[in-house]
Amino acid sequence: MADPAECTIKVMCRFRPLNSSEVVRGDKFIPKFQGEETVIIGGKPYMYDRVFQTNTTQEQVYNACAQKIVKDVLEGYNGTIFAYGQTSSGKTHTMEGNLHDTDSMGIIPRIVQDIFNYIYSMDENLEFHIKVSYFEIYLDKIRDLLDVSKTNLSVHEDKNRVPYVKGCTERFVCSPEEVMDTIDEGKSNRHVAVTNMNEHSSRSHSIFLINVKQENTQTEQKLSGKLYLVDLAGSEKVSKTGAEGAVLDEAKNINKSLSSLGNVISALAEGTAYIPYRDSKMTRILQDSLGGNCRTTIVICCSPSSYNEAETKTTLMFGQRAKTIKNTVCVNIELTAEQWKQKYEREKEKNKSLRNTVTWLENELNRWRNGESVPVEEQFDKEKAKAEVLALDSILNDKPASTPNVPGVRLTDVEKDKCEAELAKLYKQLDDKDEEINQQSQLAEKLKQQMLDQDELLASSRRDHDNLQAELNRLQAENEASKDEVKEVLQALEELAVNYDQKSQEVEDKTKEFEAISEELNQKSSILSSLDSELQKLKEMSNHQKKRVTEMMSSLLKDLAEIGIAVGSNDIKQHEGGSGLIDEEFTVARLYISKMKSEVKTMAKRCRQLESSQSESNKKMDENEKELAACQLRISQHEAKIKSLTEYLQNIEHKKRQLEENVDSLNEELVKLSAQEKVHAMEKENEIQTANEVKEAVEKQIHSHREAHQKQISSLRDELDNKEKLITDLQDLNQKTMLEQERLRVEHEKLKSTDQEKSRKLHELTVMQDRREQARQDLKGLEETVAKELQTLHNLRKLFVQDLATRVKKSAEMDSDDTGGSAAQKQKISFLENNLEQLTKVHKQLVRDNADLRCELPKLEKRLRATAERVKALESALKEAKENAARDRKRYQQEVDRIKEAVRAKNMARRGHSAQIAKPIRPGQQPVASPTHPNINRSGGGFYQNSQTVSIRGGGSSRTEKN
């Protein structure tokens, strides 16, 4: 890339005329214009690069806003134009307008025409690659307008950390007609809706991207530029637009993304360190346009109505903040080999001058350090050095530009080869000299470093000799402190051993307690099993009692039926002994009932006893579980303590070994130091002794120290053996504890399984208890029923006895009455028979209705199956119709593409000299039938094209087409 340069964002302000609804409402025209750069709203002036009044034409807006950006993009810069404002303020009209009307078309169609007009008028050696993409941000999701199946695309960064939309459709184009066809296709897929303020309100932010790459076939220089044309959706107030449902959700997302854009603009204007580009996908895509490498123009569209005064002021404030933002733009250029070589030479000269500056500064610094005073004329002049560097840059920059303009110099191939060989030889000699200079400078640096090292060594030896005695005293003090520390460590070990014994004893006690609890739990389990067997026996007894009660009730009902038959048929004999038999039967029934009552009471009492015993056993089981959990907790605590003690012992052993090594090293140093001290003392006192005597004295002293050291080592080894034995004992105890813990764990698992089994049995007992309670309720109801029946039977007996008595007394006198009584009985019997016949008829009718419903059920099922089959047939027919429609649409699209290709061929044949717009062919791709809409997919920065390759050469009348 070329050298970067700063430029501010250009902000243009455009006011639309009052629309019909605002005129009908009687709104006031509030803006006042001062010149072409200022507008006054509410008495406050707002200044921009240009302010367009309501009578400004589309062409005037384009010439002021976008015409220069076209030239910048074709020169290798990036450009962005986007419209901002509230809903119904004229953004889409400004950016798009009427796409196919010459007068009312907006910025996008005009900029497309201008790009190709510029290309056709440029140098014939240029070759262009133009790609376009069209996508929208709807509900904060990126949706491809050229392929509606891509509904949630993601934003990635390329190798230069520039954001791009991964997977969006890109099309190579070679004429304005193809670009307009692409725009029409994408616009037909864009989301719009009707609101109270706009009949064609955009419900998404649309972004039309034009990517232009050019290559000079002579110089092989490559430039690239991107142009973002953005039509933002307008900010909305729900109270004014009347949005509801899905339109309301769209308005929420639009306002959210515009708020993110405002936050980015504010952060850039204030110069904060963090810019929230990632808060919205729109700001993420426009990251390079806002504060990056791009020439950006913002068109803020405003309403002149007093009804929208607040929104208009907000929009104008947004434009003022955006105007303060600065972008750093540079040409997107790919350097050729010659340009890289020139750049290398330029950087090499800069490096050389900077190296000289560093050498000068080092020399001056060394002189200052050595105490010399450097005169002003010999000091480093920063301004002079900077001027030399700038002069060198200007010379090197002018050199390549002036070389091609030397007149009358033409070299033959032989002379060129000779010059190149000599130039290579000179470069090689220059490199050799540079290497030699570097080697000499490195050697000088090494020697200087060695001198410094020797000085430091002498100074350090002096310091060591001065501090030797102090170090010896310190080491002796440390030795004493180490001995005290060893004693303290031994005492701590003894205390730990005592604590370990205590904890082991506690573990044994808890183990015994656990065994006692386990035995008690086994006893409770046996008691629970005995209770279970007793409950089973009670269940059998209750079943037996139920059978007996059933038999008694059946016999009673049978007797009652016989009595009824006897009363109805008038077969009762008139004798006094009959009443006696009835009394006996009633007495037997009462006895049976009283016996049943006593048995039921005993069963209820037994059930209550079982329930109380069961609750007590449950309480004891809960207590045992709590104690078992406490034991487990204690065991885990003891394990942790044992582990920590073992680690502590290991640490102490390690420290002891370190202390022993330190003591040995200190003793050796002490001996050496004392020997050196004696030698120095002898030298100072000028004692006349031979070297052998000094040596013998030193050896004796070393021997004595060695013997003391050996004794100390032997004592420490004895202590070490004792500690190892103690550690072995502790490890044995730990192993025993672990085995005991494993046994306890196994027993705990067994108890847990037993507890689960007991819980299951307890659940079964609870179910049986519920059933027994239900049987008791049933028995109580049966008892009440039997009591009612006995009462009824008693009343009948009384009536029967009274009737017999009256009949015996009046048998002789009232023969006619007897005849009348039989008639009344016959009347009752006939009444009952009629009721019975009616009930029989109702029962038969119900049976017939049930049979009819059963007959109707298969018919209804068959009808339901037929309906399901019909639905399936309709679905298959609908699917087939959709497929046929898709095929017809595809054939129609192919025919339209064929017609467009023919029209394009005619248009291309009419063109004369123009620059080249090339569609590069990619290996491994098959050409498609129609070149009108060739699709390419971008994935990870690569381009894959499915299209025919068209090559248009400018500057002549030749045209080639490759298929």
Side-chain angles (χ1 to χ4, degrees):
M1 287 189 177
D3 296 333
E6 282 191 350
C7 69
T8 58
I9 291 179
K10 290 186 178 181
V11 181
M12 312 288 184
C13 178
R14 185 180 189 184
F15 282 86
R16 62 166 175 80
L18 291 172
N19 57 31
S20 58
S21 61
E22 292 170 346
V23 172
V24 170
R25 195 166 50 233
D27 295 344
K28 294 181 180 179
F29 188 86
I30 58 174
K32 297 179 181 178
F33 302 99
Q34 287 185 356
E36 294 185 349
E37 297 180 353
T38 307
V39 61
I40 300 175
I41 301 289
K44 182 179 179 180
Y46 298 90
M47 297 184 65
Y48 303 100
D49 293 289
R50 182 72 182 272
V51 177
F52 300 108
Q53 300 186 19
T54 55
N55 58 353
T56 307
T57 63
Q58 294 280 67
E59 185 176 1
Q60 290 173 343
V61 173
Y62 171 75
N63 292 335
C65 296
Q67 195 171 31
K68 189 176 184 304
I69 288 184
V70 174
K71 190 175 180 182
D72 292 338
V73 170
L74 294 177
E75 288 177 355
Y77 292 97
N78 296 332
T80 300
I81 302 174
F82 69 85
Y84 177 90
Q86 73 170 119
T87 184
S88 76
S89 60
K91 299 180 298 300
T92 304
H93 176 73
T94 301
M95 294 303 296
E96 297 178 1
N98 190 344
L99 295 176
H100 303 287
D101 187 359
T102 308
D103 295 329
S104 61
M105 66 173 57
I107 291 176
I108 294 177
R110 291 177 187 273
I111 214 167
V112 170
Q113 295 286 348
D114 243 9
I115 286 174
F116 284 94
N117 291 336
Y118 269 110
I119 290 173
Y120 296 145
S121 64
M122 293 176 77
D123 187 8
E124 63 180 6
N125 295 320
L126 295 178
E127 180 178 293
F128 287 85
H129 299 223
I130 300 181
K131 299 188 299 259
V132 295
S133 301
Y134 202 7
F135 50 88
E136 68 174 358
I137 303 173
Y138 177 68
L139 297 179
D140 206 27
K141 292 182 180 179
I142 301 175
R143 180 173 173 269
D144 196 342
L145 293 177
L146 303 181
D147 186 358
V148 293
S149 62
K150 300 175 182 178
T151 57
N152 192 8
L153 301 176
S154 58
V155 181
H156 290 245
E157 288 184 349
D158 59 12
K159 61 182 180 180
N160 296 323
R161 302 189 64 80
V162 177
Y164 71 93
V165 179
K166 183 178 181 181
C168 70
T169 302
E170 294 186 333
R171 291 184 179 173
F172 281 108
V173 292
C174 61
S175 68
E177 290 79 10
E178 288 188 9
V179 182
M180 296 308 296
D181 291 341
T182 304
I183 294 173
D184 289 335
E185 180 184 351
K187 190 175 179 182
S188 64
N189 296 325
R190 192 179 175 190
H191 285 83
V192 293
V194 178
T195 65
N196 293 342
M197 297 184 69
N198 195 352
E199 294 182 357
H200 302 282
S201 176
S202 301
R203 313 311 296 165
S204 64
H205 311 297
S206 71
I207 300 175
F208 187 70
L209 173 60
I210 303 176
N211 197 332
V212 181
K213 291 187 177 181
Q214 59 175 295
E215 180 179 359
N216 193 321
T217 55
Q218 268 192 343
T219 62
E220 296 182 355
Q221 186 173 6
K222 296 180 181 179
L223 298 175
S224 63
K226 290 188 293 186
L227 179 58
Y228 289 92
L229 301 172
V230 186
D231 179 18
L232 298 178
S235 59
E236 299 183 5
K237 274 192 176 180
V238 180
S239 59
K240 293 183 178 181
T241 59
E244 295 178 352
V247 179
L248 179 59
D249 294 336
E250 293 168 352
K252 290 178 183 177
N253 280 278
I254 289 169
N255 291 337
K256 181 181 177 183
S257 60
L258 291 176
S259 176
S260 301
L261 176 61
N263 293 336
V264 170
I265 295 292
S266 298
L268 289 169
E270 294 170 2
T272 57
Y274 171 69
I275 311 299
Y277 289 115
R278 294 180 180 269
D279 289 355
S280 169
K281 289 188 177 179
M282 181 185 64
T283 55
R284 185 80 176 104
I285 294 172
L286 299 178
Q287 180 176 347
D288 218 25
S289 304
L290 302 172
N293 176 23
C294 191
R295 295 188 187 274
T296 304
T297 299
I298 301 177
V299 182
I300 56 173
C301 300
C302 304
S303 168
S305 172
S306 59
Y307 179 69
N308 300 319
E309 183 176 359
E311 291 85 348
T312 300
K313 288 182 178 179
T314 303
T315 304
L316 294 173
M317 290 297 295
F318 173 86
Q320 280 194 336
R321 287 195 302 270
K323 189 168 170 51
T324 62
I325 299 173
K326 292 185 179 180
N327 289 355
T328 304
V329 297
C330 57
V331 178
N332 303 313
I333 184 172
E334 295 182 16
L335 299 178
T336 61
E338 185 65 28
Q339 290 172 339
W340 279 115
K341 192 172 181 180
Q342 293 172 2
K343 189 172 183 180
Y344 170 73
E345 293 294 333
R346 188 161 56 249
E347 295 299 328
K348 190 174 180 181
E349 293 295 331
K350 281 185 182 179
N351 192 12
K352 186 176 180 181
S353 64
L354 292 174
R355 192 176 292 170
N356 294 332
T357 303
V358 171
T359 305
W360 188 305
L361 289 171
E362 285 180 351
N363 294 331
E364 184 178 343
L365 183 62
N366 289 329
R367 292 177 66 183
W368 283 110
R369 283 178 176 173
N370 294 329
E372 299 179 12
S373 61
V374 182
V376 178
E377 60 272 8
E378 295 182 9
Q379 292 181 3
F380 178 73
D381 190 356
K382 185 177 180 182
E383 298 296 332
K384 185 177 178 181
K386 190 174 181 181
E388 289 178 357
V389 172
L390 292 175
L392 183 62
D393 286 344
S394 62
I395 291 169
L396 291 173
N397 288 329
D398 295 339
K399 189 181 294 184
S402 60
T403 302
N405 296 325
V406 177
V409 178
R410 292 190 178 274
L411 300 176
T412 62
D413 294 337
V414 177
E415 291 175 346
K416 284 183 180 178
D417 294 338
K418 188 183 292 184
C419 289
E420 289 178 357
E422 290 179 359
L423 184 63
K425 187 176 180 181
L426 290 173
Y427 276 127
K428 188 176 180 181
Q429 292 177 0
L430 184 62
D431 293 337
D432 293 338
K433 293 296 181 181
D434 288 338
E435 289 179 359
E436 186 177 355
I437 290 169
N438 290 331
Q439 290 176 0
Q440 294 295 330
S441 61
Q442 289 176 3
L443 182 60
E445 289 293 332
K446 287 181 181 178
L447 293 173
K448 189 185 293 183
Q449 189 66 32
Q450 288 178 3
M451 291 290 293
L452 293 174
D453 292 340
Q454 291 295 329
D455 293 338
E456 289 179 358
L457 184 60
L458 289 173
S460 63
S461 61
R462 289 169 186 167
R463 285 194 300 270
D464 292 339
H465 182 72
D466 294 335
N467 297 328
L468 192 58
Q469 190 65 34
E471 185 71 20
L472 180 61
N473 295 330
R474 187 181 63 80
L475 290 173
Q476 289 177 353
E478 287 182 359
N479 190 10
E480 294 296 332
S482 301
K483 288 180 180 179
D484 295 337
E485 188 177 355
V486 169
K487 290 179 182 179
E488 291 176 359
V489 169
L490 293 175
Q491 291 176 1
L493 283 173
E494 292 176 357
E495 292 177 359
L496 288 174
V498 172
N499 290 332
Y500 183 78
D501 294 336
Q502 293 177 358
K503 298 301 180 182
S504 301
Q505 188 64 32
E506 289 180 3
V507 170
E508 291 177 359
D509 296 340
K510 294 301 177 182
T511 305
K512 292 179 182 179
E513 291 179 5
F514 182 74
E515 290 175 355
I517 291 169
S518 301
E519 291 176 359
E520 187 176 356
L521 186 61
N522 292 328
Q523 292 176 3
K524 296 299 180 183
S525 301
S526 61
I527 293 170
L528 187 62
S529 60
S530 63
L531 290 175
D532 191 7
S533 62
E534 289 181 4
L535 185 61
Q536 191 68 25
K537 290 179 182 179
L538 287 174
K539 186 177 178 182
E540 292 175 357
M541 289 174 64
S542 65
N543 291 332
H544 183 64
Q545 293 295 332
K546 282 182 182 179
K547 289 180 181 179
R548 289 183 62 189
V549 170
T550 305
E551 290 175 358
M552 289 173 63
M553 288 300 298
S554 61
S555 63
L556 286 172
L557 292 173
K558 187 175 181 182
D559 292 341
L560 288 172
E562 289 177 357
I563 292 170
I565 292 169
V567 172
S569 61
N570 198 13
D571 291 338
I572 302 174
K573 294 182 181 181
Q574 299 177 1
H575 56 83
E576 296 176 356
S579 61
L581 292 171
I582 291 170
D583 290 336
E584 289 177 359
E585 290 178 357
F586 276 106
T587 304
V588 171
R590 286 193 187 95
L591 290 172
Y592 277 125
I593 290 169
S594 62
K595 190 174 181 181
M596 287 169 62
K597 285 182 178 180
S598 62
E599 289 179 354
V600 168
K601 287 179 180 179
T602 55
M603 288 176 65
K605 186 176 180 181
R606 184 62 180 169
C607 287
R608 285 194 293 273
Q609 292 177 356
L610 289 173
E611 288 176 355
S612 62
S613 63
Q614 183 180 358
S615 62
E616 291 176 357
S617 62
N618 288 334
K619 289 180 181 179
K620 290 183 179 179
M621 286 178 66
D622 293 336
E623 292 175 357
N624 292 334
E625 287 178 355
K626 290 179 181 178
E627 292 179 359
L628 182 60
C631 290
Q632 290 176 353
L633 181 61
R634 289 175 185 172
I635 289 170
S636 62
Q637 291 176 354
H638 292 327
E639 288 177 356
K641 287 181 180 179
I642 289 168
K643 188 175 180 181
S644 62
L645 289 174
T646 306
E647 293 176 354
Y648 187 59
L649 286 173
Q650 292 177 355
N651 292 331
I652 288 171
E653 184 66 26
H654 183 64
K655 287 182 179 178
K656 188 178 74 173
R657 290 176 181 174
Q658 290 180 351
L659 290 172
E660 289 176 354
E661 293 175 357
N662 291 333
V663 169
D664 294 340
S665 62
L666 290 173
N667 288 329
E668 291 178 359
E669 290 180 1
L670 185 62
V671 170
K672 291 179 181 178
L673 291 172
S674 61
Q676 291 178 3
E677 188 177 2
K678 285 185 178 181
V679 169
H680 287 300
M682 289 177 182
E683 290 177 355
K684 289 178 181 178
E685 294 173 357
N686 295 321
E687 295 180 355
I688 303 172
Q689 292 180 353
T690 62
N692 292 328
E693 290 176 355
V694 174
K695 187 176 181 181
E696 288 176 1
V698 171
E699 287 179 353
K700 287 179 182 180
Q701 191 173 3
I702 290 171
H703 184 67
S704 62
H705 283 291
R706 188 177 296 168
E707 289 179 354
H709 183 252
Q710 291 293 336
K711 290 179 181 179
Q712 190 176 3
I713 287 174
S714 61
S715 62
L716 289 173
R717 284 178 178 171
D718 294 337
E719 290 180 3
L720 183 62
D721 293 336
N722 295 330
K723 297 304 177 185
E724 286 180 353
K725 289 179 181 179
L726 181 60
I727 289 170
T728 305
D729 297 337
L730 291 173
Q731 288 178 350
D732 294 338
L733 289 173
N734 188 16
Q735 188 68 22
K736 289 179 182 179
T737 307
M738 290 175 67
L739 293 173
E740 188 67 23
Q741 180 189 356
E742 185 68 22
R743 186 179 65 79
L744 291 173
R745 188 182 63 77
V746 173
E747 290 181 358
H748 173 64
E749 293 292 335
K750 290 180 180 179
L751 289 173
K752 192 174 180 181
S753 60
T754 308
D755 187 17
Q756 291 176 356
E757 183 67 23
K758 294 295 185 290
S759 300
R760 185 179 61 79
K761 289 183 179 179
L762 183 61
H763 180 67
E764 293 177 356
L765 289 174
T766 306
V767 174
M768 291 172 65
Q769 180 67 21
D770 294 338
R771 291 178 181 173
R772 186 172 68 243
E773 186 68 26
Q774 185 66 30
R776 187 166 59 190
Q777 296 291 334
D778 295 341
L779 188 60
K780 185 176 180 181
L782 184 61
E783 183 180 352
E784 293 176 356
T785 305
V786 169
K788 289 180 182 179
E789 292 293 334
L790 288 175
Q791 184 66 29
T792 306
L793 189 60
H794 184 64
N795 294 333
L796 288 173
R797 186 177 65 81
K798 285 183 179 180
L799 292 173
F800 182 68
V801 171
Q802 290 176 3
D803 187 43
L804 285 178
T806 54
R807 287 186 180 186
V808 168
K809 290 179 182 179
K810 298 179 181 180
S811 60
E813 294 94 5
M814 301 177 67
D815 292 331
S816 59
D817 294 337
D818 186 43
T819 304
S822 62
Q825 290 177 358
K826 288 179 180 179
Q827 187 177 1
K828 289 180 179 180
I829 290 169
S830 64
F831 177 75
L832 292 173
E833 288 177 351
N834 290 331
N835 290 336
L836 182 61
E837 287 176 359
Q838 290 177 1
L839 291 173
T840 305
K841 288 179 181 179
V842 171
H843 181 263
K844 288 180 179 179
Q845 184 66 30
L846 291 173
V847 170
R848 283 197 297 272
D849 292 340
N850 191 13
D852 292 336
L853 290 174
R854 288 182 179 177
C855 293
E856 288 291 332
L857 185 62
K859 294 180 181 179
L860 293 173
E861 291 178 351
K862 186 176 180 181
R863 190 179 300 170
L864 183 62
R865 286 195 295 271
T867 304
E869 291 174 356
R870 177 63 177 165
V871 170
K872 289 181 180 178
L874 290 173
E875 288 178 351
S876 62
L878 180 62
K879 185 177 180 181
E880 185 176 358
K882 287 182 178 179
E883 291 175 354
N884 292 332
R887 285 196 293 271
D888 292 338
R889 185 177 179 183
K890 188 175 181 180
R891 286 199 297 271
Y892 171 76
Q893 188 66 33
Q894 289 176 354
E895 186 67 20
V896 170
D897 293 342
R898 185 182 62 78
I899 294 170
K900 287 180 179 178
E901 179 62 24
V903 173
R904 187 185 301 109
K906 292 179 181 179
N907 292 332
M908 298 298 288
R910 294 193 193 101
R911 290 201 184 99
H913 309 298
S914 62
Q916 177 185 14
I917 302 173
K919 294 183 180 179
I921 191 167
R922 299 293 181 185
Q925 300 291 332
Q926 296 294 330
V928 296
S930 173
T932 306
H933 296 290
N935 295 334
I936 84 163
N937 287 330
R938 177 175 181 174
S939 177
F943 299 96
Y944 302 94
Q945 176 191 2
N946 293 328
S947 67
Q948 295 176 342
T949 301
V950 180
S951 178
I952 305 172
R953 294 289 178 182
S957 60
S958 62
R959 287 170 45 86
T960 60
E961 291 192 4
K962 297 179 183 180
N963 293 327

